[in-house]
Structures are given as C-alpha cells and as structure tokens.
C-alpha cells in the first residue's frame, strides 16, 4: 500500500508540475545560462514541497476560504508576467547576444532567486494545484498513507526541476548562436503575455 500511494503521488505530482508554465520557462533559461541553477532548483522544489505538505496536512480547505487572496495573486501574477514578457520581448528585439553574452547578463544570485520566487508564489494556480488538488487527492488514503502520497509528489517535483535545470546544458550548443536566443526570448515573451491574459480573463476555479 505504501508503494502504491507513493507511486500515485509521484504520477499525480508529475502530471501537474511538468505542465508547461512560466516557472518552467524561467528554470530552462537559467539552466541554459548555467547561472545559479542550484539556487533556482532548490527554490522551486522547496516551494513545491512546502505547499504539497501543507495541502496534505489539510490547508487546502483553508485556501478555498480565501477567495480574495487568490484574486490578489491572480492580478499580481498577471502584472508580473506582463513585465517579464516585456523584458523578454525587448531582448528578442535587440538580439545580438549569444550564450556567452547571455551568461554575462544573468543577474545577481539574489535577483535570480527573487524572480524565481515571484514566478512560483505569485502564480495562484500553484496553490490550487499543490495545496488544493494534491491535498484533495491525498484524502483517498488513510492518514499514514497520505504522507507516502505526499512523498511521491515531492519526489516528482525534485526530479523535474533537477532535470530541467541541469539537463538544459545539453541544449547549449544550439544556443551558442544569437539567433537561437532571439527565438527563445520571443517565444517566452508570447508565452508570458498569453498566460497573463488567461489570468486576467479567466476566473480561478478549483
């Protein structure tokens, strides 16, 4: 039963975490630059672990009782995504930066960490996915097995962010060319704008 509960948590967590999102795009870019990757991976996985454990511990119902907080996160997150999308769009427009230049412009460790936490904590869907949804799924198991479910979900988060952050180096030969960075930044800009519009136009629902 412990193995089954852990496997269920692993697959449920992977299904939610691996979905393409703004946070994943940011982790990928840092991985390509090979700047502060460990810090970024630790922040993303650590935040997921805290939220998953909170959901399994019963915080999901409490989150649902704070609709105003979710709305604040909704509009704050949309504003942040628009700002970051604009920065990516400007980088794509200016161009002229291969991988070496991108590495030099990666920002300080503190700036990278704060940006990473903003992508994580200003996204209202992260609370609905980890705290509410995974917390709800865990209630199908007896109390002891809920923590096995949580362990599986946490393992999925750690594995995914390690793979994304450290595995991105395999794409470095492609991003030695300035044109590849322009394409990536243009795609990130469009993606961020679309996510921001979805947050603004579509009400949140658990």
């Amino acid at each position: 039963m412990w193995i089954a509960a852990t496997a269920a948590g692993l697959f449920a967590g992977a299904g939610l975490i691996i979905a393409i999102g703004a946070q994943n795009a940011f982790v990928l870019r840092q991985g390509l630059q090979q700047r502060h990757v460990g810090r970024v991976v630790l922040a993303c996985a650590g935040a997921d672990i805290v939220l998953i454990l909170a959901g399994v511990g019963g915080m999901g119902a409490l989150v649902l009782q704070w609709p105003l907080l979710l709305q604040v996160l909704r509009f704050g997150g949309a504003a942040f995504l628009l700002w970051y999308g604009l920065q990516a769009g400007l980088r794509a427009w200016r161009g002229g930066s291969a991988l070496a230049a991108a590495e030099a412009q990666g920002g300080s460790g503190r700036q990278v960490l704060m940006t990473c936490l903003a992508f994580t904590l200003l996204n209202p869907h992260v609370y609905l996915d980890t705290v509410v949804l995974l917390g709800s799924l865990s209630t199908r198991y007896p109390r002891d097995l809920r923590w096995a479910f949580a362990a599986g979900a946490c393992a999925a988060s750690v594995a995914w962010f390690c793979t994304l952050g450290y595995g991105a180096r395999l794409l470095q030969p492609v991003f030695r060319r300035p044109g590849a960075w322009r394409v990536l930044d243009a795609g990130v800009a469009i993606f961020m704008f679309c996510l921001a519009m979805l947050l603004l136009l579509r009400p949140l629902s658990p």
Side-chain angles (χ1 to χ4, degrees):
M1 288 296 291
W2 282 85
I3 295 176
T6 303
L10 181 69
F11 287 113
L16 293 172
I17 294 162
I18 295 177
I20 297 173
Q23 182 191 50
N24 287 341
F26 177 75
V27 175
L28 175 62
R29 196 173 203 281
Q30 290 303 126
L32 287 168
Q33 295 174 341
Q34 288 296 289
R35 290 183 60 87
H36 312 295
V37 178
R39 191 172 300 189
V40 168
V41 168
L42 182 62
C44 292
D48 270 2
I49 289 171
V50 170
L51 293 172
I52 290 167
L53 294 179
V56 173
M59 290 291 292
L62 191 58
V63 169
L64 291 178
Q65 293 176 7
W66 294 345
L68 181 59
L69 174 60
L70 288 177
Q71 292 306 315
V72 170
L73 290 170
R74 174 189 174 192
F75 290 105
F80 175 75
L81 289 174
L82 288 171
W83 173 82
Y84 192 85
L86 178 61
Q87 299 302 309
L90 289 174
R91 288 196 302 267
W93 177 262
R94 293 167 183 161
S97 61
L99 182 59
E103 289 171 346
Q105 298 170 4
S108 69
R110 184 176 182 276
Q111 290 173 328
V112 169
L113 180 60
M114 295 304 294
T115 303
C116 179
L117 290 176
F119 272 119
T120 302
L121 301 178
L122 287 179
N123 176 12
H125 290 288
V126 75
Y127 300 96
L128 295 176
D129 287 347
T130 56
V131 179
V132 177
L133 185 52
L134 287 177
S136 298
L137 290 174
S138 72
T139 60
R140 297 184 301 173
Y141 298 93
R143 188 161 188 84
D144 290 345
L145 292 181
R146 290 178 192 176
W147 299 110
F149 179 91
C154 292
S157 177
V158 172
W160 169 247
F161 286 117
C162 286
T163 301
L164 187 62
Y166 291 106
R169 69 180 64 192
L170 298 176
L171 297 175
Q172 282 187 334
V174 175
F175 285 90
R176 296 288 176 189
R177 300 192 298 270
W181 279 101
R182 296 190 73 174
V183 171
L184 176 66
D185 283 326
V188 167
I190 294 170
F191 187 55
M192 297 300 168
F193 289 144
C194 289
L195 288 177
M197 290 300 104
L198 285 175
L199 279 179
L200 291 173
L201 299 177
R202 190 171 63 186
L204 294 172
S205 59

